[in-house]
Amino acid sequence: MPKLLNLKFPGGCKTLPEGFWSAVDVWVKKPHVVNKRLCGVKETESENVGREALQFLLDDPEVSHEVLSFLSSGVSEQTHQPWSFSVRTIIPKVNCHGTKLHKEIILKDFDRQQVTFLPFEEDSEGQVCLKRGNIYQIRLLHQDCEEWALELHALTPDAWFSDGVAYPKLPWLSTDLLPKLVRWATECKNSEFKNTLSLLPVEKYSLMYQQLKEKYKAMVKVWPEVTDPEKFVYEDVAIATYLLVLWAEERAEKSLTSSQSFVDLGCGNGLLVHILTNEGHPGKGIDVRKRKIWDMYGPQTLLEEKAITPSESFLFSGTDWLIGNHSDELTPWIPVIAARSSYSCRYFVLPCCFFDFYGKYQRRQCKKSQYKEYIDFISEVSQVSGFNAEEDCLRIPSTKRVCLVGKSRNYQLPDEAEAERRRAHYIESRQIASRVTVHGSDMRNDRRCCHGNKDTDRTPGSSWGEGFQPRDRVELVRNCAALPRDFVDGVVLRVANVLLGMTEDDGGGSSSDWNRGGSLSVSEVAGLLEQETLRLLKKECGGLQTLLKNNHQVFRVEGGRVCIRDWRDRKSSRADTKRKPVAPGALKTRPCWFHDHHPQRCPLQDELCAFAHGPDDLRPSTRPLKKIKNDAFELAHPSPSL
C-alpha cells in the first residue's frame, strides 16, 4: 500500500498513543466536523474479528488476500490480537445517490497503532459492492528520539474515486484530515458534553433539516429585525427540526395519533412558533415584548405579548410540551412550570444566559466551566421537579448548544403530593440563598440589577412566583446609539486626529499621497480619553470598541487595532467583502466626515463617494441610517454589473 504522506507531531508530545486513538474516534464517530458535506454517521456495535472472519466479510478472494496480506504484514497470526471491527453508515447532508447506502468497515489494530477504512456500498436489496480503490489506512509511527509521526496509505491511489461528499478527494485526506488528526491527538481534549443529536436518528434529522431549510429560506430576505437573519433563521430551523423529529419519535414510541401541542415561553421573534405551527403542531408563543416580524406570520401563528410570571396564572394543563429557547430568567422555572401544569406535560429548554430562580446565577467554586456548571444546575432543577432529564447537543450556529429534554417523570402519579413538597422546598431553599447573597458578604457579586430587583426582602413560604422579576417591556438600548451626538463626534474627532498625526515610523503610515495615518490598539485609544468619557462608555455594551465600530465611515477596527478607513481600498476589511449591494435611497444622506475634517479632504471624487460633500450634495434619508454604512462601500467599489 503506497505511502502518501508522513506528518510529524510536535516534539515532546506526551498524549500519544492514547491521543491518536482519541483523534481517530472523532473521525470515525463525528466525520461531519471535518467534512462539512456530511450530517453524521450511524455506527453498529463494535466487535473483535480475526483473520478468518474478515476473509468471510470480503467476498472477493483477490481483494481479501490483498487486504489481509497488508494488515498482517510482519505480524504472526499466533501473536497478533484480533482487530476491533465496526461498520458505519455515512449520512450526507444532501443525498444525491438515490437508495445506495455508503458504508465503511473500520478495522482498528491496537498492536500496530493503525486504523484501516474499507468503504462499500449497499443497495435497497442488500447487494454489497466494495470500493476497492478507496481503501486507505492511517498509521501512528514511533520514530527515533521520542518522535512520533502520522502516515497515510492508500491501497490503490490511482483508482481512487471521489464524489466530493461520501468519498472526499484523496489530497483532501492529506491537506485537511491528517493535520486535524495531529492537532486533536496533541490536544487530546474531552468534551464536557455529549455528541450532537445523541437522542435522535441522525438520518431523519438530516432529511427534515434540508426540507425545512429550503422551505423557510425566504425568511432571510424579508427579515425586519436588527438581528442577523442568516444566523437566526437557520438556527430556529435547526431547533424546529430537532423538536419535530423528537416528537415524531415520541408518537411512534407511544403510539400517539395526534400532533403534540406546545407553548413557547419567551418566544422572541416567534419564528420557532411559526415553523412548528406550519408543520402541524398546535401551539402558541408568549413574550414580554412584541417584535416587528410578528405581523408577517399571519393569524395562524399565535403570539401573545405578555409578561410571564411563574404562578398559578401561568400553568398549561392541556399542553403537551413547554419550550424555553434562550428563555433567560425563565429558564430554571420551565421544568417547574411543566411539572406543575400536569403530570403528562413535558419540556425542552435550551439555556443561554445564567439565571437562578430570583436573579443571576451565582457560580460555585468548582473545576467545571461556568456553562457546564449551569447546565448541571438546570439538570438538578429538573430532577428535583420530578423529571428524568436527558441532555443533548444541537447543531446550531451558537456557542450555547446544549439542551435538556424532560420526557418522563421519576415518580408515579399517586406520589404527586410528595413530589410537590420536594419542589416547593427546593425553590424555597434557593430563595433563601438568594436573599443571603444579597444581604450578606457576597452582595458585591450580585448582578441582578440588569433586570431589576425591587423586592429582595422576600418571605420564605410565600407564593411560589413571588420575588421573580420579569424583564422590562421596553428593552434598554446599550450599543452607544443613545449617546449624545456631540459626545460621539468629539470622541471620533479626537481619536482620528491622533491617528492622522502619526508618522510612518509610528507603525501605520502610508506612502500614499493621501494621509491614512497610523494605527493604535483599542487600549491605547482608551488612554487618549478622559476618565469621565470612559465612564460613560463603560455603561454601553462593548464600550469604546462599539463606538468606534459604529463609526464605520471613519474607522476600521480589526484584530483589536484601530486605523483610519481608506474607501479606495476594496479589501480594507474581511467584513467589507460580505456587504450587500447598495440600495436606492441610501446615498448622500449623511455628510462625508473626510470632506469636512480630513486635512486633504475625501480621497474619492464627489460622484464616487456615498456620503455628501457639502450641504448642496446632501439629500433627505429614505431608509434607516444604520444601513447606509453598508452601502457606502458598494458605491465606492461598484460591481462589474453596475
Side-chain angles (χ1 to χ4, degrees):
M1 186 180 286
K3 179 174 71 175
L4 302 177
L5 182 69
N6 180 291
L7 198 60
K8 291 186 177 180
F9 282 86
C13 184
K14 303 295 184 184
T15 59
L16 301 173
E18 293 81 6
F20 166 71
W21 291 111
S22 175
V24 166
D25 280 343
V26 175
W27 172 236
V28 171
K29 299 176 185 297
K30 298 186 286 185
H32 55 275
V33 303
V34 190
N35 185 349
K36 300 302 181 182
R37 296 180 180 180
L38 300 183
C39 184
V41 296
K42 184 169 62 175
E43 272 195 294
T44 61
E45 291 290 330
S46 297
E47 55 184 282
N48 294 331
V49 296
R51 185 183 179 92
E52 292 181 1
L54 182 61
Q55 190 150 4
F56 175 76
L57 290 168
L58 304 173
D59 295 351
D60 189 333
E62 181 182 346
V63 174
S64 63
H65 175 74
E66 188 175 14
V67 173
L68 287 167
S69 297
F70 172 76
L71 290 172
S72 304
S73 175
V75 179
S76 134
E77 182 67 20
Q78 287 74 28
T79 60
H80 187 264
Q81 296 296 317
W83 297 298
S84 171
F85 163 80
S86 63
V87 175
R88 66 174 181 175
T89 302
I90 296 171
I91 304 170
K93 285 185 176 177
V94 180
N95 189 2
C96 54
H97 302 281
T99 59
K100 285 184 178 179
L101 296 177
H102 306 286
K103 298 190 174 186
E104 283 182 328
I105 296 173
I106 300 166
L107 296 172
K108 295 180 181 178
D109 187 340
F110 294 101
D111 284 352
R112 301 176 65 194
Q113 307 290 350
Q114 64 188 31
V115 56
T116 306
F117 297 82
L118 297 92
F120 65 96
E121 292 179 353
E122 185 177 71
D123 61 22
S124 57
E125 298 178 355
Q127 297 296 318
V128 175
C129 174
L130 183 69
K131 304 290 289 186
R132 179 175 177 273
N134 286 49
I135 296 174
Y136 68 99
Q137 186 180 88
I138 300 171
R139 299 178 184 174
L140 177 67
L141 300 179
H142 194 187
Q143 300 174 331
D144 296 335
C145 303
E146 297 299 320
E147 289 187 352
W148 294 84
L150 211 58
E151 285 189 353
L152 174 66
H153 295 255
L155 185 64
T156 53
D158 294 339
W160 189 274
F161 167 76
S162 172
D163 63 1
V165 183
Y167 306 112
K169 294 180 179 179
L170 190 55
W172 181 89
L173 296 177
S174 301
T175 59
D176 288 71
L177 177 60
L178 247 64
K180 284 186 171 60
L181 290 176
V182 169
R183 179 165 63 84
W184 295 338
T186 303
E187 295 173 349
C188 200
K189 290 182 178 179
N190 293 317
S191 174
E192 295 178 301
F193 304 106
K194 289 187 174 182
N195 294 337
T196 58
L197 309 182
S198 62
L199 302 180
L200 301 181
V202 178
E203 62 275 18
K204 292 182 181 180
Y205 174 90
S206 176
L207 180 61
M208 180 166 288
Y209 177 75
Q210 293 304 321
Q211 292 172 346
L212 295 184
K213 184 178 179 182
E214 183 66 24
K215 187 174 181 178
Y216 295 100
K217 66 180 182 181
M219 295 296 302
V220 174
K221 298 180 181 179
V222 298
W223 194 255
E225 304 294 330
V226 296
T227 50
D228 179 11
E230 291 280 349
K231 177 185 186 299
F232 281 83
V233 171
Y234 294 130
E235 180 171 321
D236 281 356
V237 166
I239 296 170
T241 302
Y242 187 93
L243 288 170
L244 290 170
V245 175
L246 181 73
W247 293 346
E249 293 296 295
E250 182 183 59
R251 289 197 301 274
E253 178 185 341
K254 297 182 178 180
S255 300
L256 302 176
T257 56
S258 58
S259 297
Q260 294 91 331
S261 60
F262 71 92
V263 174
D264 188 349
L265 300 176
C267 63
N269 59 54
L271 180 56
L272 180 60
V273 177
H274 179 64
I275 297 174
L276 295 176
T277 301
N278 275 1
E279 299 307 313
H281 288 269
K284 66 179 180 179
I286 306 174
D287 200 279
V288 69
R289 189 168 54 255
K290 181 179 179 180
R291 308 302 199 273
K292 296 177 184 177
I293 198 172
W294 284 16
D295 295 328
M296 297 176 59
Y297 295 136
Q300 76 282 358
T301 301
L302 303 179
L303 299 168
E304 295 182 11
E305 185 180 15
K306 185 187 298 183
I308 303 168
T309 301
S311 64
E312 300 298 322
S313 301
F314 284 93
L315 296 180
F316 307 91
S317 59
T319 300
D320 295 319
W321 283 80
L322 297 187
I323 299 171
N325 172 21
H326 294 102
S327 45
D328 294 345
E329 70 275 8
L330 285 172
T331 297
W333 285 104
I334 287 177
V336 178
I337 296 173
R340 286 174 167 170
S341 290
S342 72
Y343 183 76
S344 61
C345 188
R346 289 87 77 194
Y347 79 87
F348 166 92
V349 67
L350 180 61
C352 180
C353 300
F354 307 144
F355 282 89
D356 206 325
F357 290 104
Y358 299 102
K360 283 286 189 177
Y361 176 77
Q362 300 297 322
R363 189 175 185 187
R364 306 164 186 170
Q365 296 296 323
C366 67
K367 296 181 180 179
K368 301 175 186 176
S369 68
Q370 185 178 15
Y371 184 42
K372 174 60 175 172
E373 183 181 324
Y374 187 68
I375 293 294
D376 289 347
F377 165 63
I378 301 301
S379 295
E380 179 183 285
V381 173
S382 302
Q383 191 274 330
V384 173
S385 296
F387 286 97
N388 296 310
E390 297 179 90
E391 182 183 303
D392 205 352
C393 190
L394 306 184
R395 290 186 185 172
I396 56 175
S398 173
T399 56
K400 307 293 176 59
R401 301 185 295 149
V402 178
C403 68
L404 291 167
V405 180
K407 294 192 296 183
S408 63
R409 300 295 175 94
N410 55 23
Y411 64 93
Q412 299 300 315
L413 182 57
D415 301 324
E416 181 64 51
E418 179 60 31
E420 174 55 32
R421 279 193 288 271
R422 286 196 300 269
R423 283 191 288 265
H425 177 73
Y426 181 78
I427 294 170
E428 184 177 324
S429 69
R430 302 297 302 184
Q431 190 180 47
I432 294 172
S434 175
R435 185 183 180 191
V436 169
T437 300
V438 171
H439 294 290
S441 60
D442 289 331
M443 185 175 178
R444 63 185 180 277
N445 294 324
D446 185 73
R447 297 183 177 87
R448 284 174 289 172
C449 57
C450 68
H451 285 291
N453 189 25
K454 300 174 183 177
D455 182 14
T456 55
D457 292 314
R458 292 181 291 270
T459 303
S462 59
S463 176
W464 60 278
E466 184 180 348
F468 172 82
Q469 186 67 35
R471 63 181 55 203
D472 295 329
R473 186 176 295 274
V474 179
E475 186 175 17
L476 294 176
V477 178
R478 298 177 62 231
N479 62 353
C480 297
L483 291 172
R485 188 70 249 177
D486 291 345
F487 173 83
V488 174
D489 290 344
V491 173
V492 170
L493 187 61
R494 178 159 190 177
V495 174
N497 284 339
V498 172
L499 292 173
L500 292 173
M502 297 175 67
T503 64
E504 187 172 2
D505 293 337
D506 290 327
S510 171
S511 58
S512 169
D513 293 337
W514 188 76
N515 180 19
R516 298 171 60 176
S519 72
L520 292 170
S521 67
V522 175
S523 60
E524 289 172 330
V525 171
L528 304 174
L529 307 177
E530 294 83 3
Q531 288 301 313
E532 180 62 20
T533 299
L534 294 175
R535 186 184 66 80
L536 289 174
L537 290 173
K538 193 173 182 180
K539 295 180 179 179
E540 305 293 318
C541 293
L544 174 60
Q545 183 163 269
T546 296
L547 184 146
L548 297 171
K549 286 185 175 181
N550 286 351
N551 286 272
H552 170 90
Q553 182 194 164
V554 183
F555 301 113
R556 177 162 59 90
V557 183
E558 197 169 46
R561 297 196 69 80
V562 185
C563 62
I564 296 293
R565 183 175 296 279
D566 187 346
W567 286 96
R568 300 170 299 176
D569 184 3
R570 185 172 181 84
K571 297 181 179 179
S572 59
S573 170
R574 290 192 298 268
D576 292 336
T577 60
K578 300 180 181 179
R579 299 194 179 276
K580 297 179 180 179
V582 61
L587 310 176
K588 305 293 184 180
T589 54
R590 292 181 64 188
C592 176
W593 187 92
F594 296 105
H595 181 271
D596 293 342
H597 299 287
H598 195 284
Q600 297 165 292
R601 293 187 177 270
C602 180
L604 298 176
Q605 297 177 3
D606 292 1
E607 61 272 17
L608 293 179
C609 184
F611 302 95
H613 287 192
D616 295 338
D617 200 24
L618 188 67
R619 64 188 184 85
S621 174
T622 59
R623 65 199 301 262
L625 293 179
K626 62 188 176 185
K627 296 184 179 179
I628 294 176
K629 64 181 184 181
N630 296 345
D631 301 324
F633 179 84
E634 296 296 334
L635 181 68
H637 310 292
S639 63
S641 61
L642 297 178

PDB file of all heavy atoms in Angstrom, residues 26 46 49 68 129 260 281 283 320 323 349 369 402 420 492 634:
ATOM      1  N   VAL A  26     -12.843  10.627  16.786  1.00  0.00           N
ATOM      2  CA  VAL A  26     -13.556  11.809  16.292  1.00  0.00           C
ATOM      3  C   VAL A  26     -13.874  11.638  14.808  1.00  0.00           C
ATOM      4  O   VAL A  26     -15.004  11.893  14.361  1.00  0.00           O
ATOM      5  CB  VAL A  26     -12.725  13.093  16.515  1.00  0.00           C
ATOM      6  CG1 VAL A  26     -13.420  14.295  15.879  1.00  0.00           C
ATOM      7  CG2 VAL A  26     -12.508  13.343  17.997  1.00  0.00           C
ATOM      8  N   SER A  46     -19.486  -2.493  17.941  1.00  0.00           N
ATOM      9  CA  SER A  46     -18.126  -2.928  17.638  1.00  0.00           C
ATOM     10  C   SER A  46     -17.903  -4.342  18.168  1.00  0.00           C
ATOM     11  O   SER A  46     -18.506  -4.762  19.144  1.00  0.00           O
ATOM     12  CB  SER A  46     -17.103  -1.983  18.268  1.00  0.00           C
ATOM     13  OG  SER A  46     -17.229  -0.689  17.732  1.00  0.00           O
ATOM     14  N   VAL A  49     -12.678  -9.198  15.431  1.00  0.00           N
ATOM     15  CA  VAL A  49     -12.679 -10.230  14.398  1.00  0.00           C
ATOM     16  C   VAL A  49     -11.249 -10.669  14.121  1.00  0.00           C
ATOM     17  O   VAL A  49     -10.305  -9.887  14.227  1.00  0.00           O
ATOM     18  CB  VAL A  49     -13.318  -9.717  13.091  1.00  0.00           C
ATOM     19  CG1 VAL A  49     -14.770  -9.391  13.284  1.00  0.00           C
ATOM     20  CG2 VAL A  49     -12.572  -8.515  12.545  1.00  0.00           C
ATOM     21  N   LEU A  68      -5.749  -8.548   3.498  1.00  0.00           N
ATOM     22  CA  LEU A  68      -5.255  -9.323   4.630  1.00  0.00           C
ATOM     23  C   LEU A  68      -3.739  -9.396   4.648  1.00  0.00           C
ATOM     24  O   LEU A  68      -3.118  -9.373   5.711  1.00  0.00           O
ATOM     25  CB  LEU A  68      -5.849 -10.731   4.594  1.00  0.00           C
ATOM     26  CG  LEU A  68      -7.337 -10.817   4.967  1.00  0.00           C
ATOM     27  CD1 LEU A  68      -7.896 -12.182   4.596  1.00  0.00           C
ATOM     28  CD2 LEU A  68      -7.528 -10.560   6.448  1.00  0.00           C
ATOM     29  N   CYS A 129     -21.211  -3.827  -2.648  1.00  0.00           N
ATOM     30  CA  CYS A 129     -20.121  -3.597  -3.602  1.00  0.00           C
ATOM     31  C   CYS A 129     -18.980  -2.900  -2.880  1.00  0.00           C
ATOM     32  O   CYS A 129     -19.129  -1.761  -2.414  1.00  0.00           O
ATOM     33  CB  CYS A 129     -20.618  -2.746  -4.767  1.00  0.00           C
ATOM     34  SG  CYS A 129     -19.319  -2.251  -5.928  1.00  0.00           S
ATOM     35  N   GLN A 260     -48.325  16.721  18.874  1.00  0.00           N
ATOM     36  CA  GLN A 260     -48.174  17.300  20.206  1.00  0.00           C
ATOM     37  C   GLN A 260     -48.428  18.811  20.176  1.00  0.00           C
ATOM     38  O   GLN A 260     -48.036  19.505  19.234  1.00  0.00           O
ATOM     39  CB  GLN A 260     -46.772  17.028  20.749  1.00  0.00           C
ATOM     40  CG  GLN A 260     -46.474  15.568  21.015  1.00  0.00           C
ATOM     41  CD  GLN A 260     -45.867  14.856  19.827  1.00  0.00           C
ATOM     42  OE1 GLN A 260     -46.115  15.221  18.679  1.00  0.00           O
ATOM     43  NE2 GLN A 260     -45.047  13.838  20.088  1.00  0.00           N
ATOM     44  N   HIS A 281     -48.330  21.357  14.337  1.00  0.00           N
ATOM     45  CA  HIS A 281     -48.423  21.238  15.798  1.00  0.00           C
ATOM     46  C   HIS A 281     -49.154  22.449  16.372  1.00  0.00           C
ATOM     47  O   HIS A 281     -48.705  23.586  16.213  1.00  0.00           O
ATOM     48  CB  HIS A 281     -47.029  21.121  16.419  1.00  0.00           C
ATOM     49  CG  HIS A 281     -46.378  19.810  16.158  1.00  0.00           C
ATOM     50  ND1 HIS A 281     -46.497  18.734  17.004  1.00  0.00           N
ATOM     51  CD2 HIS A 281     -45.625  19.383  15.113  1.00  0.00           C
ATOM     52  CE1 HIS A 281     -45.833  17.704  16.509  1.00  0.00           C
ATOM     53  NE2 HIS A 281     -45.293  18.069  15.361  1.00  0.00           N
ATOM     54  N   GLY A 283     -50.140  25.283  18.855  1.00  0.00           N
ATOM     55  CA  GLY A 283     -49.406  25.908  19.961  1.00  0.00           C
ATOM     56  C   GLY A 283     -49.374  27.408  19.829  1.00  0.00           C
ATOM     57  O   GLY A 283     -49.962  28.001  18.914  1.00  0.00           O
ATOM     58  N   ASP A 320     -48.939  19.700  25.831  1.00  0.00           N
ATOM     59  CA  ASP A 320     -48.028  18.553  25.884  1.00  0.00           C
ATOM     60  C   ASP A 320     -46.591  18.960  26.209  1.00  0.00           C
ATOM     61  O   ASP A 320     -45.918  18.302  27.004  1.00  0.00           O
ATOM     62  CB  ASP A 320     -48.046  17.804  24.542  1.00  0.00           C
ATOM     63  CG  ASP A 320     -49.399  17.187  24.260  1.00  0.00           C
ATOM     64  OD1 ASP A 320     -50.007  16.644  25.195  1.00  0.00           O
ATOM     65  OD2 ASP A 320     -49.854  17.261  23.096  1.00  0.00           O
ATOM     66  N   ILE A 323     -41.648  24.944  25.858  1.00  0.00           N
ATOM     67  CA  ILE A 323     -40.368  25.207  25.196  1.00  0.00           C
ATOM     68  C   ILE A 323     -39.741  26.442  25.807  1.00  0.00           C
ATOM     69  O   ILE A 323     -40.405  27.463  25.999  1.00  0.00           O
ATOM     70  CB  ILE A 323     -40.572  25.414  23.681  1.00  0.00           C
ATOM     71  CG1 ILE A 323     -41.161  24.161  23.033  1.00  0.00           C
ATOM     72  CG2 ILE A 323     -39.262  25.797  23.003  1.00  0.00           C
ATOM     73  CD1 ILE A 323     -41.578  24.367  21.580  1.00  0.00           C
ATOM     74  N   VAL A 349     -35.701  22.717  26.953  1.00  0.00           N
ATOM     75  CA  VAL A 349     -35.107  24.008  27.288  1.00  0.00           C
ATOM     76  C   VAL A 349     -33.691  24.073  26.730  1.00  0.00           C
ATOM     77  O   VAL A 349     -32.925  23.105  26.790  1.00  0.00           O
ATOM     78  CB  VAL A 349     -35.120  24.246  28.819  1.00  0.00           C
ATOM     79  CG1 VAL A 349     -34.195  23.284  29.546  1.00  0.00           C
ATOM     80  CG2 VAL A 349     -34.748  25.679  29.163  1.00  0.00           C
ATOM     81  N   SER A 369     -16.440  24.282  33.780  1.00  0.00           N
ATOM     82  CA  SER A 369     -16.650  25.575  33.138  1.00  0.00           C
ATOM     83  C   SER A 369     -17.953  26.161  33.659  1.00  0.00           C
ATOM     84  O   SER A 369     -18.827  25.443  34.164  1.00  0.00           O
ATOM     85  CB  SER A 369     -16.727  25.416  31.615  1.00  0.00           C
ATOM     86  OG  SER A 369     -17.905  24.713  31.238  1.00  0.00           O
ATOM     87  N   VAL A 402     -26.266  23.259  24.169  1.00  0.00           N
ATOM     88  CA  VAL A 402     -26.704  22.105  24.958  1.00  0.00           C
ATOM     89  C   VAL A 402     -28.141  22.307  25.423  1.00  0.00           C
ATOM     90  O   VAL A 402     -28.477  23.341  26.007  1.00  0.00           O
ATOM     91  CB  VAL A 402     -25.779  21.895  26.173  1.00  0.00           C
ATOM     92  CG1 VAL A 402     -26.264  20.716  27.011  1.00  0.00           C
ATOM     93  CG2 VAL A 402     -24.347  21.665  25.704  1.00  0.00           C
ATOM     94  N   GLU A 420     -44.524  17.406  44.911  1.00  0.00           N
ATOM     95  CA  GLU A 420     -44.738  18.847  45.015  1.00  0.00           C
ATOM     96  C   GLU A 420     -44.069  19.413  46.263  1.00  0.00           C
ATOM     97  O   GLU A 420     -43.517  20.523  46.237  1.00  0.00           O
ATOM     98  CB  GLU A 420     -46.231  19.156  45.017  1.00  0.00           C
ATOM     99  CG  GLU A 420     -46.580  20.629  45.256  1.00  0.00           C
ATOM    100  CD  GLU A 420     -45.900  21.562  44.269  1.00  0.00           C
ATOM    101  OE1 GLU A 420     -45.668  21.175  43.093  1.00  0.00           O
ATOM    102  OE2 GLU A 420     -45.570  22.686  44.664  1.00  0.00           O
ATOM    103  N   VAL A 492     -14.797  60.784  18.241  1.00  0.00           N
ATOM    104  CA  VAL A 492     -14.334  60.411  16.897  1.00  0.00           C
ATOM    105  C   VAL A 492     -13.263  61.380  16.415  1.00  0.00           C
ATOM    106  O   VAL A 492     -12.205  60.963  15.895  1.00  0.00           O
ATOM    107  CB  VAL A 492     -15.520  60.376  15.912  1.00  0.00           C
ATOM    108  CG1 VAL A 492     -15.031  60.234  14.474  1.00  0.00           C
ATOM    109  CG2 VAL A 492     -16.465  59.236  16.259  1.00  0.00           C
ATOM    110  N   GLU A 634     -20.181  49.726  -1.212  1.00  0.00           N
ATOM    111  CA  GLU A 634     -20.574  49.241  -2.522  1.00  0.00           C
ATOM    112  C   GLU A 634     -20.508  50.352  -3.567  1.00  0.00           C
ATOM    113  O   GLU A 634     -20.169  50.109  -4.717  1.00  0.00           O
ATOM    114  CB  GLU A 634     -21.991  48.661  -2.463  1.00  0.00           C
ATOM    115  CG  GLU A 634     -22.103  47.436  -1.573  1.00  0.00           C
ATOM    116  CD  GLU A 634     -21.278  46.287  -2.100  1.00  0.00           C
ATOM    117  OE1 GLU A 634     -21.040  46.236  -3.315  1.00  0.00           O
ATOM    118  OE2 GLU A 634     -20.870  45.444  -1.292  1.00  0.00           O
TER     119      GLU A 634
END
